[in-house]
Amino acid sequence: PEGHPNAISELTEEEAENMSESEKGRCSTFDGKTYVCKDEDYKKEMDYLKEKIDAGADFIITQMFFDAEVYKTFVADCRKWGINCPV
C-alpha cells in the first residue's frame, strides 16, 4: 500500500520536514532515515494499478503491512481511482 519498492525514495532531512499529509501517512523511518513514496510517484503507481484492473485483473494482492490505517487509506484511494475490485 505504500508504493512499489522502486518508487520509494529516501528523503533528505528537509524533504522529510516538508512532506504532505498523505506522504506522512505512507512514510517509514528506519535507522534515522525517512522513506516514502512521494505523492507524484504514488499517483503514477495508482494510475498503473488502474490500468491493470481495466485490462482484466479481478483482485489486488498487497504485500504484508503492519499499519492497518495505511491499508485502509490505500483501499480508499483505490475507490477514488475507480478501482472497485477486492483488495
Side-chain angles (χ1 to χ4, degrees):
E2 296 91 354
H4 188 276
N6 292 342
I8 303 291
S9 301
E10 180 181 335
L11 303 182
T12 65
E13 193 172 307
E14 183 179 340
E15 288 174 319
E17 292 172 1
N18 294 306
M19 285 188 291
S20 69
E21 288 303 311
S22 57
E23 288 173 335
K24 288 177 185 175
R26 289 191 305 272
C27 77
S28 298
T29 303
F30 182 72
D31 283 343
K33 297 178 183 176
T34 302
Y35 301 89
V36 71
C37 182
K38 295 180 180 179
D39 287 336
E40 60 270 12
D41 294 326
Y42 187 73
K43 180 187 179 315
K44 291 176 194 172
E45 293 287 304
M46 294 301 291
D47 289 343
Y48 181 59
L49 183 58
K50 175 72 169 127
E51 288 177 22
K52 292 195 288 187
I53 296 302
D54 290 347
D58 296 322
F59 57 92
I60 298 166
I61 298 175
T62 70
Q63 48 189 344
M64 293 291 292
F65 58 89
F66 297 102
D67 188 338
E69 291 304 313
V70 171
Y71 172 75
K72 288 167 45 177
T73 299
F74 173 70
V75 173
D77 288 345
C78 285
R79 303 307 179 240
K80 288 177 191 173
W81 254 264
I83 300 169
N84 296 305
C85 65
V87 180

